[in-house]
Structures are given as C-alpha cells and as structure tokens.
Amino acid sequence: MNDILTDFNELSSILAGAYAVVALLMTLLLSYFHKRDLPVKLLGSLMVLSIMFGANNAWIYAIGVFIVATLVTELQFLEKLAALAWNRKEYWQYLSQASDEEIKAKYIEDAQEEVTKIESAYDNKPESPLDKSTRKIGKLIEEAHAFENNVLKALESKKFSLFLTSNFSKHIKLNAGSRTIIIDAIAMSRERHFLIEIKHYKNEHSITHATYKIKSTANEYNKYLQERGKNLVVTPVLVVPQITNETVVEEIPILRFDNDSKTFTNIQDFTSILRYSKED
C-alpha cells in the first residue's frame, strides 16, 4: 500500500511539472494566433491543474475543479449549476445587459425575417418595398440600427410623458432557462413595466408577426417578476415606422415614429390607449 501511495505521489509530481511546462508552451504558441483571452484562460487552467497535482490533496482537487470551471465556462453556466444544486428557480430567470454581439445578432435575425416575409408576400414583384439596395441584409441592418438609435433617444427624452416614469433601461437581456431574449427597452414605473420592442419594418404585414413575439416575451418577463414576488402589470409596446395608421394591433399598443423628423406621430392616441388598458 505504501509503495502505491509513493508511486502516486511521484506521479502527481511528474504531472504537476508536465502541466506547468505544457501551459507555458501552449500559451506562447496560442498568443501568436489568438486573442489574449484564450491563452490567459489556458495558462490559468493548466497552472491550476499543476498546483493541484503538486499539492496532492483531496480538498485542493475539489477547489481546483471550481477554479478551472470559472476560467473556462460562462458565469451563466455556473449559475445554472447552482440552480440545480440548490433548487433555486431564481437562478433560471434573470436580467442582464445585452452585449454588442447579441444586439447585432438580433438585427441580423430581424433583417432576415423581414426579407423573407416581404419576398413571400410580394413574390419578388416590382411593387415590393425591397429595392435592389435593401435586398442586402447589411443595408437593412444599418437602417434598423440607425432607426433604433433614433427611437431610443426619443423615448429617453419623452419617457415620462409616454410612460409616467423616469426609470428607463436599454438593451436588456432576459435569460429564461435555455432561452435568451433581448428586450430593446424597458420603462419601469411603480406598478407597471412597459416592454418596448423596436422594429424597422418596411411592410405593414410584418407587424402582426412582431406582436406574437412580443407577447411571448411579455409572458416570460411576467414569470421573471412572479418568481421574485413582484405583482406588476406588464405591457408590451411596439414601435414601428410610418407604415400603418393603426394604434393597436392584436391588442398591442403601436407607437409610430417618423425617422426623418425623429418624432413620434401618434403620442396622444398612444397614451390614451395606455390609460384605457390600465383602467381595464
């Protein structure tokens, strides 16, 4: 038995040295081909493994596993593990700030959906709202980005007159279990939260599809609030260009925005709808 333990200790020492050497070599190699984050994570992981085997202690092994996990996995993954371990459902639904990459991915998804729907509705006929330049996804993404920025600035300046609150957040990510939902903006009053979805549509028929999606988002957001014991009214709102005269579509309030003048064009009707829905 002693011989086995001695052999294991010697093996641990050999592994510790080997991991340390490999860590340095791999870090030097990868630093030439990758961004700084990957070599640093690899170096940290291998050095922790080296220390673990050098210490040859069960507690150090256990601590090392969690250290490596924090280095090589996303924080969200660890939080979900905690949710399983402690059966805390609050870990499953939480809000965070969306990254630039996630926001761009949403622009791309919306642009692809818009092109598909318009081409399907018009069957590529000459009267299609898509001309040769806007058929390019990149062009639609640029237009959507500019439109959303203008809308957010206008919402920020008129948040109190529109939603009777000064509490306004942009580009919020709702992590709902395995789903990730990007909410363009949220206006939060004491008794009511407004989920604001901004769509740079060229086709009026696309609005109905957007109402279904924002209803689903509102449902997930309501679950998030209920898990935290907050009994608030959640009202989804859709902001679109001047492509419709409607103020309500599928029970969703519609706020119209003129991108040229950078103003909302139906504020009075919109706020009347919100007050009416609150009374109901």
Side-chain angles (χ1 to χ4, degrees), residues 248-264:
V248 177
V249 175
E250 297 292 334
E251 300 180 346
I252 301 298
I254 304 296
L255 184 59
R256 299 193 297 270
F257 185 78
D258 181 13
N259 205 32
D260 293 329
S261 63
K262 296 180 176 53
T263 58
F264 299 110

Side-chain angles (χ1 to χ4, degrees), residues 123-159:
D123 196 23
N124 291 316
K125 295 177 182 178
E127 64 268 23
S128 169
L130 290 176
D131 55 31
K132 290 183 179 179
S133 62
T134 55
R135 286 180 189 277
K136 297 179 180 179
I137 295 294
K139 180 67 173 178
L140 286 175
I141 293 172
E142 289 178 9
E143 292 177 353
H145 179 63
F147 180 78
E148 182 174 297
N149 282 341
N150 290 334
V151 169
L152 288 173
K153 289 177 182 178
L155 286 172
E156 195 100 58
S157 64
K158 291 189 174 294
K159 55 193 174 187

Side-chain angles (χ1 to χ4, degrees), residues 4 24 27 45 99 113 125 138 143 173 183 202 215 227 233 265-266:
I4 295 175
L24 293 174
T27 302
S45 300
S99 65
E113 285 184 2
K125 295 177 182 178
E143 292 177 353
K173 179 170 64 174
I183 304 171
K202 296 178 176 294
K215 283 180 181 179
E227 286 183 355
V233 177
T265 60
N266 65 327

